[in-house]
């Protein structure tokens, strides 16, 4: 099939139902990742991929990639009253690289990664990749069944914190040295953790990130395990092996902020959709990142869904929330006049406090 032969059609109304839209807009959708993003599906005996993205202030959104020669006119999406754009593209398969071309109300254009994308290209490329997360065959039933006992409040837990990229490197003829893959780590890291007597591994963030030096704390793809070390199925294999060896996995989770990289969440649809427009509320001056707007319901659905996504799809055993103080206090690392008080005149970020509650 030639690239320009891919033609999108309207996604079935049943794909994104009224209940999904209601819960998403209410800020209580716990599984928004099941509907938003890119999903290989079969409709009316036609295989393809359905796409859905929240961009309420965009004039137009299109799916672009090699399959349509990155032509923004080839696969325009259809909007809903809730600001969610959808399309079904027959014939489009797993592993396809794609982005969303956003046309703003001022006719600016941005090419954005998928906020709900399940996989991404290896940096420095920033395209999202269509991925099927349901074809891995888990074999950790015993661990999952006994997890509550193994992680009880009065049970002994010893945690080994590790950054995958710097734990160990292998000699490489081309690059001098390289990272270990998720599968190689299952063969090397797990024996070490077992020998040292740890019960759990805590992984520094593995959600896709553009800058190696950030160690994963400036996230570009919140639903995509970084491709530095392999595929989503490779990461599933690593966790599966941990569980089969009676080792729990805790994941560092970063709901406090996101980077300004052009392909990411910043200024997503021509507005500060995921953050605050006022930099006194919406920007970490020290870190050069944007602060999530916890008072916007759709952002809450995004973050709640992201937390539960790692537990659901990757069998993660727990989350360690990063930079909580920066979330809770409006004057965090700010001088007088550089922050806005809450409605009661205080320094507490009331929306951020209610979010984890």
């Amino acid at each position: 099939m030639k690239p320009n032969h891919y033609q999108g059609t309207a996604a079935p109304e049943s794909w994104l139902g009224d209940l999904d839209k209601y819960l998403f807009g209410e800020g209580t959708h716990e599984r928004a990742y099941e509907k938003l993003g890119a999903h290989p599906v079969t409709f009316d005996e036609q295989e393809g991929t359905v796409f859905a993205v929240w961009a309420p202030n965009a004039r137009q959104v299109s799916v672009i990639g090699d399959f349509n020669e990155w032509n923004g006119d080839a696969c325009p999406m259809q909007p809903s009253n809730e600001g969610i754009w959808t399309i079904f593209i027959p014939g489009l398969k797993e592993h396809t690289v794609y982005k969303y071309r956003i046309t703003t109300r001022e006719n600016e254009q941005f090419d954005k990664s998928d906020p709900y994308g399940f996989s991404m290209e290896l940096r420095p490329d920033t395209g999202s990749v269509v991925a099927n997360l349901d074809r891995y065959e888990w074999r950790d039933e015993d661990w999952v069944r006994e997890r509550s006992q193994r992680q009880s409040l009065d049970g002994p837990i010893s945690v080994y914190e590790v950054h995958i990229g710097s734990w160990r490197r292998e000699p490489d003829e081309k690059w001098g040295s390289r990272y270990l893959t998720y599968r190689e780590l299952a063969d090397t890291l797990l024996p070490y953790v077992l020998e040292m007597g740890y019960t759990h591994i805590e992984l520094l963030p593995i959600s896709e990130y553009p800058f190696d030096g950030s160690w994963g704390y400036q996230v570009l793809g919140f639903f995509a395990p970084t491709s530095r070390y392999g595929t989503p199925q490779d990461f599933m294999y690593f966790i599966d092996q941990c569980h089969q060896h009676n080792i729990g996995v805790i994941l560092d989770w970063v709901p406090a902020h996101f980077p300004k990289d052009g392909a990411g969440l910043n200024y997503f649809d021509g507005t500060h959709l995921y953050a605050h427009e006022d930099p006194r509320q919406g920007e970490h001056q020290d870190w050069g990142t944007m602060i999530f707007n916890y008072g916007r319901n759709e952002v809450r659905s995004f973050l709640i869904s992201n937390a539960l996504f790692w537990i659901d799809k990757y069998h993660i055993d727990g989350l360690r929330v990063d930079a909580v103080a920066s979330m809770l206090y409006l004057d965090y690392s700010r001088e007088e006049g550089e922050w806005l008080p809450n409605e009661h005149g205080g320094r507490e970020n009331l929306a951020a406090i209610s979010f984890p509650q």
Side-chain angles (χ1 to χ4, degrees):
M1 183 177 290
K2 295 181 179 179
N4 58 5
H5 285 183
Y6 284 96
Q7 298 293 325
T9 64
E13 293 184 6
S14 60
W15 177 255
L16 196 67
D18 291 338
L19 180 59
D20 287 310
K21 295 175 183 177
Y22 175 80
L23 293 176
F24 185 70
E26 189 185 53
T28 59
H29 204 315
E30 298 180 347
R31 295 176 180 268
Y33 57 85
E34 292 183 346
K35 296 297 183 178
L36 280 86
H39 298 265
V41 294
T42 300
F43 290 136
D44 296 331
E45 300 183 353
Q46 265 193 319
E47 293 185 356
T49 301
V50 62
F51 297 84
V53 63
W54 179 56
N57 302 296
R59 182 186 297 273
Q60 179 60 54
V61 183
S62 299
V63 182
I64 57 173
D66 285 340
F67 60 91
N68 61 15
E69 299 177 333
W70 301 92
N71 179 359
D73 297 323
C75 297
M77 305 177 76
Q78 299 299 314
S80 70
N81 292 333
E82 295 78 15
I84 300 175
W85 299 73
T86 58
I87 191 174
F88 173 61
I89 305 180
L92 207 63
K93 298 182 179 180
E94 190 177 8
H95 309 306
T96 297
V97 176
Y98 70 97
K99 282 187 175 182
Y100 295 117
R101 177 157 295 165
I102 309 288
T103 303
T104 73
R105 292 175 179 174
E106 289 74 33
N107 286 321
E108 295 180 283
Q109 287 192 333
F110 308 107
D111 293 348
K112 292 287 190 177
S113 305
D114 189 344
Y116 288 84
F118 293 156
S119 180
M120 291 189 69
E121 293 182 288
L122 181 64
R123 70 191 185 328
D125 294 326
T126 56
S128 298
V129 181
V130 178
N132 180 356
L133 301 186
D134 296 326
R135 57 183 176 84
Y136 181 83
E137 295 183 9
W138 291 89
R139 294 182 171 85
D140 62 350
E141 298 86 356
D142 292 344
W143 169 270
V144 172
R145 184 175 56 252
E146 300 171 0
R147 177 160 46 194
S148 59
Q149 288 78 32
R150 294 179 179 275
Q151 300 184 166
S152 62
L153 294 178
D154 58 355
I157 291 179
S158 180
V159 181
Y160 182 67
E161 182 182 24
V162 59
H163 173 243
I164 289 179
S166 56
W167 182 72
R168 181 182 297 175
R169 298 175 72 93
E170 284 291 312
D172 183 83
E173 184 175 329
K174 181 178 181 180
W175 303 107
S177 66
R178 65 168 178 82
Y179 298 130
L180 296 181
T181 67
Y182 293 122
R183 291 180 179 268
E184 288 174 330
L185 285 161
D187 295 332
T188 54
L189 177 59
L190 297 194
Y192 175 78
V193 170
L194 288 169
E195 180 183 353
M196 298 299 291
Y198 291 101
T199 64
H200 287 67
I201 295 172
E202 178 190 335
L203 297 176
L204 271 62
I206 54 85
S207 299
E208 191 61 82
Y209 58 100
F211 176 50
D212 289 354
S214 79
W215 279 22
Y217 288 98
Q218 295 192 8
V219 178
L220 185 65
F222 280 80
F223 290 82
T226 177
S227 54
R228 287 168 174 79
Y229 318 121
T231 67
Q233 285 73 26
D234 292 335
F235 185 52
M236 291 176 180
Y237 173 83
F238 171 76
I239 298 169
D240 200 1
Q241 288 297 306
C242 286
H243 288 170
Q244 290 184 47
H245 288 83
N246 297 321
I247 298 172
V249 182
I250 300 169
L251 188 64
D252 268 20
W253 184 50
V254 191
H257 62 137
F258 58 89
K260 297 179 181 178
D261 294 64
L265 299 179
N266 191 34
Y267 210 59
F268 187 79
D269 64 354
T271 69
H272 290 284
L273 189 62
Y274 285 86
H276 295 271
E277 184 174 0
D278 193 321
R280 291 174 295 178
Q281 294 175 291
E283 186 173 351
H284 276 303
Q285 301 288 349
D286 289 351
W287 302 339
T289 56
M290 306 301 292
I291 301 169
F292 279 106
N293 183 349
Y294 305 102
R296 182 164 289 154
N297 286 345
E298 295 86 351
V299 173
R300 292 168 76 98
S301 287
F302 173 81
L303 291 172
I304 291 170
S305 294
N306 186 237
L308 296 177
F309 166 81
W310 293 104
I311 296 169
D312 175 23
K313 295 297 186 181
Y314 287 92
H315 296 198
I316 292 294
D317 301 294
L319 300 172
R320 177 257 175 187
V321 185
D322 181 64
V324 173
S326 74
M327 297 169 59
L328 301 184
Y329 298 104
L330 298 166
D331 63 347
Y332 181 87
S333 192
R334 296 176 187 270
E335 302 294 334
E336 186 175 350
E338 295 180 347
W339 60 282
L340 296 178
N342 63 35
E343 60 191 72
H344 305 296
R347 58 192 284 261
E348 298 81 12
N349 186 333
L350 301 178
I353 291 171
S354 70
F355 168 66
Q357 292 174 340

